[in-house]
Every structure is written in C-alpha cells, then in structure tokens.
Amino acid sequence: MKFPVFDLHCDTAYEMLRTGQSLTDNCLAVSLTGAKKVFSRYVQIMAHWTDDALSDEAGWEQLLAMHGHLLQDAAIREGHAVIATTIPSGANLPT
C-alpha cells in the first residue's frame, strides 16, 4: 500500500553536489525514482545547508554551487520537481 509523505532534509542538496548525484536517481535519502515506488504523494523540502566552519564568502559560494547543481538536474529542467524558494532581497541567486 502506498501512502503520502511530506519530508524535510537539510543536507540533500549538499550531498547531491558533493557526490555528483541527481535528484531523480541517487543513493541518498531523497530519490524521485525511489519515492514513486513507495509513496502515493511526495513533497520534499530541502534546505541549502553550508558548513558553519566556512567563511561567509566560502559558504555563499557553496550555496551557489548547490543551487546551480539543482538547476541543472533533469528532474528540475523537465518539470518533475520545482525549486520554490524564499530569497532575501539582493541575494542574486541564478534562476
């Protein structure tokens, strides 16, 4: 029996970038292919987490890299997943 899931993760975008894996199919906690097999509905919220040991500049660069990796993901480009974000004024994230 399939059931609906609403899930939150803080490290998935970082781990996808670090390991070069996609949102569609990966060995992480969040995989669209895996989710379709077991869930009737699936909502995933991901935070863009950066290591607090990084400088502000290095943390911002890491955030931009994570965001860019997600923008290039086939699931995002093909409309199977969307990026919904609250961006601070003047943040200048790529779209």
Side-chain angles (χ1 to χ4, degrees), residues 40-67:
S40 61
R41 292 182 181 192
Y42 183 64
V43 174
Q44 178 62 56
I45 306 293
M46 282 188 264
H48 280 33
W49 173 87
T50 60
D51 189 331
D52 62 355
L54 296 174
S55 68
D56 288 349
E57 184 176 313
W60 181 248
E61 291 301 318
Q62 186 179 63
L63 181 135
L64 291 175
M66 284 186 285
H67 188 73

Side-chain angles (χ1 to χ4, degrees), residues 6-93:
F6 184 94
D7 192 24
L8 298 108
H9 279 265
C10 68
D11 64 343
T12 301
Y14 170 76
E15 288 298 324
M16 286 172 48
L17 173 66
R18 187 182 71 78
T19 61
Q21 296 185 71
S22 74
L23 183 57
T24 301
D25 192 23
N26 62 62
C27 66
L28 304 170
V30 178
S31 169
L32 295 182
T33 300
K36 288 179 184 179
K37 292 177 184 176
V38 295
F39 304 130
S40 61
R41 292 182 181 192
Y42 183 64
V43 174
Q44 178 62 56
I45 306 293
M46 282 188 264
H48 280 33
W49 173 87
T50 60
D51 189 331
D52 62 355
L54 296 174
S55 68
D56 288 349
E57 184 176 313
W60 181 248
E61 291 301 318
Q62 186 179 63
L63 181 135
L64 291 175
M66 284 186 285
H67 188 73
H69 185 75
L70 283 172
L71 287 175
Q72 296 303 312
D73 195 281
I76 303 292
R77 289 193 332 265
E78 295 169 7
H80 302 294
V82 297
I83 296 176
T85 184
T86 303
I87 301 174
S89 178
N92 297 320
L93 279 177

